[in-house]
Every structure is written in structure tokens, then in C-alpha cells.
């Protein structure tokens, strides 16, 4: 039996994909798994994880002296990755969390088993938008020992693209419930609806959320809308939209918030909202933030896209509307405000859904069993 390696593109603090990956590291560690975690490419600052996971040894394939320019970072990455690639031995097992660029070479390394976790459709990834690269990528997925998609839709896509059904294992989105343990709603704060993310319209429909909030703002003057994430500039599309809608004084652009402060900020909200539009990215992916929303126990107002309706039921565990239906989304926001006790009960049932389906330890065990314990 060789080594078990976990490969990640890089580490960037506060990013959703970094928190997603760290949930698995924690799960593997608690399951007693021994592994070497390999970060391939640094961010601009050469960020490294502060958190330690027993049994998980961390290796960064870069040196601080190569961070001065993108060219030097890329040259260092090519050299260090090549060195790592040729150090692999027969019997080694690799789990790629993302890392699509390296799959082509790794699946052709004799004697090495490769498992590829995927959270998005290839068309949502810039390299795979080109047919040549997409075809090579899908061929590599078929050659891999296993592919771990985040949704049924994505699993069906890979199967239709040539990946054997027995090589597919759906791994649900994961969230670390411990981040929300003992976090309770603070008293004496203003009432607000919250969205947390990168503020993108194409991915998260923040423009649709702004329009929905504007439709109900006169009927709930005590409420504000918090957009948690990098603050837009005054000439950005969403800032101008908030001005045009006459709600700029009711919208709070918080700016980047440290990851440790996010649970309290989400818990303090009365409603958590995500107006995701219909797109390839949203049809095949799954929003990591949804797990965090649900774990607060607050009511979640969301759109029916991708696998979301597989887990949540309208008016039972969330308030759901069709993608792009701004009026229906606004109606759900208003209903939650006007029916706080019923909305709270929906939020509590949503929390149960998250605990049962997005548990990091359960999903980590599914990965380990799929890799090591199959017949």
C-alpha cells in the first residue's frame, strides 16, 4: 500500500472552496486517515492554513521567493509539480479536489490510482470551455479510478460522457456544523435579510435579489438588506442598480468579513436569501453557502435550481420559487417577514436537512469507503 495524497490547487483564506476542502480534511482526520495534503499553486500572498488536522501532513509546492510575479509562480509550480509527479510510486492513491489541469497526466501514471472530486460542470471552468480541452478532460475522467461529483445532475453528465457508472459516487456539499455551535442570535440589532457570497449576478443573482427587496421595501421599512462579501465600487452594476431602485440607503455592503465572523452575521439575520438564476453552473453545481444558511435555523428563501429541490421542500424546509421569478421571490421574503413563527419553524426543519445531508463526517466517510473499501 502506497501513500494517500490529497491534491488541491491552492489555499485562499475565507474562500468557499477552501472551507469546502477543509471540511473534508477535518473529516478524514477524525476518521483516522493518514494522508499528505499537497497544495500546488499559491495565491498572491502565498497563504497557508493555520488550522492543523492530526494525521494530515501538509506540503506546499512553492517557495516564498517565487511569489513576486505570476511568471515566477507559474515556473515554480511547473518545476515543483513535475518533481512531485515523478516522485509518485506504484500503489500511491491520489484524491484530486478540483485540480482538473493535472488529471490528464496523473491518470496516465502507471500504478497510481486517481480519484477526482468535481463541484462544477466542465463548461463552467474556463479551460474546459474549449472543445479540445473539454474532450481531453472528459477522456481523462473516464480513465480515472473514480469521479466524485457534487450533484446527481453532474453525475448523470459524467456518465453520459463516458464515465462508467460504477466509477461514480455523488458526494454532497459539506458544511462544518461546529462553526455554528453555541452561536445564538444577538439581541438589540437591526432587522435584516442577508446574502453572503461574491456578489455575482450570473452565479448568485444578486441583481435579482436587489429587485425583489425593492418590491417589498415600502412594506417592511424596518428591514435592511445585507450583502456580505467584497463591497462593490460606487460605479459597479449592483451599486448603481440599488441607487436606481431607490434602496441604496437600505442596502448594507459589508465588505469582506473574516470567516470566523460569518456564522454570527448569518445567525443575526431574520432571513437568508439566494436568488440563483438558471445556468449551467447552477444546474450542475450546488451552493456551499446553502449549508451555512440552513445551519443557522433561520428561514431560507431560495430558487429551485439544480439539486436544491432534491433536498428542500417549499414551505416545509425552505421558501422556494422558480428561477428569475422576481415577484414570487419577493412574495416569499415578505411572507417570512409577516409570518415569523411559521418561518422560524421552516428554518428549523431546514437545519435538520443540513445536519442529515451535508454532514462533513458522513460525506468524508463516503469518500474513504469509495476509494479504499470497495470490492
Amino acid at each position: 500500500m502506497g501513500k494517500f495524497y490529497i491534491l488541491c490547487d491552492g489555499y485562499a483564506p475565507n474562500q468557499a472552496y477552501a472551507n469546502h476542502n477543509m471540511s473534508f480534511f477535518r473529516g478524514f482526520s477524525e476518521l483516522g486517515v493518514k494522508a499528505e495534503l499537497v497544495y500546488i499553486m499559491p495565491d498572491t500572498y502565498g497563504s497557508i492554513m493555520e488550522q492543523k488536522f492530526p494525521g494530515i501532513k501538509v506540503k506546499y509546492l512553492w517557495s516564498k521567493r517565487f511569489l513576486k510575479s505570476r511568471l515566477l509562480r507559474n515556473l515554480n509550480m511547473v518545476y515543483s509539480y513535475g518533481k512531485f509527479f515523478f516522485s509518485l510510486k506504484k500503489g500511491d492513491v491520489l484524491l484530486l479536489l478540483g485540480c482538473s489541469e493535472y488529471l490528464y497526466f496523473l491518470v496516465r501514471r502507471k500504478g497510481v490510482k486517481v480519484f477526482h472530486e468535481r463541484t462544477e460542470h466542465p463548461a463552467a471552468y474556463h479551460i474546459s470551455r474549449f472543445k479540445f480541452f473539454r474532450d481531453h478532460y472528459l477522456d481523462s475522467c473516464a480513465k480515472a479510478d473514480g469521479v466524485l461529483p457534487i450533484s446527481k445532475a453532474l453525475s448523470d453528465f459524467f456518465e453520459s460522457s463516458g464515465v462508467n457508472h460504477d466509477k461514480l459516487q455523488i458526494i454532497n456539499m459539506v458544511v462544518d456544523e461546529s462553526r455554528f455551535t453555541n452561536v445564538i442570535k444577538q439581541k438589540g440589532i437591526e432587522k435584516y435579510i442577508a446574502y453572503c457570497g461574491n456578489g455575482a449576478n450570473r452565479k448568485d443573482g444578486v441583481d435579482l435579489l436587489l429587485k425583489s427587496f425593492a418590491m417589498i421595501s415600502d412594506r417592511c421599512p424596518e428591514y435592511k438588506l445585507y450583502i456580505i462579501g467584497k463591497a462593490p465600487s460606487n460605479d459597479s452594476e449592483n451599486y448603481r442598480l440599488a441607487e436606481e431602485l431607490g434602496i441604496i440607503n437600505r442596502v448594507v455592503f459589508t465588505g469582506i468579513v473574516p470567516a470566523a465572523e460569518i456564522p454570527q452575521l448569518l445567525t443575526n439575520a431574520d432571513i437568508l436569501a439566494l436568488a440563483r438564476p438558471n445556468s449551467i453552473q447552477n444546474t450542475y453545481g450546488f451552493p456551499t453557502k446553502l449549508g451555512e444558511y440552513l445551519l443557522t435555523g433561520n428561514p431560507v428563501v431560495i430558487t429551485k435550481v439544480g439539486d436544491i429541490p432534491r433536498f428542500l421542500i417549499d414551505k416545509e424546509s425552505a421558501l422556494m420559487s422558480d428561477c428569475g421569478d422576481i415577484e414570487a421571490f419577493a412574495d416569499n421574503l415578505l411572507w417570512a417577514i409577516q409570518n415569523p413563527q411559521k418561518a422560524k419553524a421552516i428554518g428549523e426543519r431546514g437545519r435538520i436537512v443540513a445536519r442529515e445531508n451535508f454532514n462533513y463526517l458522513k460525506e468524508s466517510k463516503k469518500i474513504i469507503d469509495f476509494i479504499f473499501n470497495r470490492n
Side-chain angles (χ1 to χ4, degrees), residues 38-54:
V38 180
Y39 279 115
I40 298 173
M41 186 70 177
D43 65 1
T44 306
Y45 308 102
S47 302
I48 61 174
M49 284 196 308
E50 294 182 3
Q51 191 168 354
K52 307 296 182 183
F53 301 94

Side-chain angles (χ1 to χ4, degrees), residues 78-92:
V78 170
Y79 170 77
S80 299
Y81 172 71
K83 187 176 179 181
F84 167 77
F85 177 83
F86 288 109
S87 73
L88 294 173
K89 294 179 174 57
K90 185 176 180 180
D92 287 344

Side-chain angles (χ1 to χ4, degrees), residues 121-122 134 138 152-162 284:
H121 189 284
R134 184 167 62 250
L138 293 174
K152 185 179 185 303
L154 193 54
S155 180
D156 291 344
F157 165 77
F158 279 120
E159 186 169 1
S160 69
S161 301
Y284 292 92

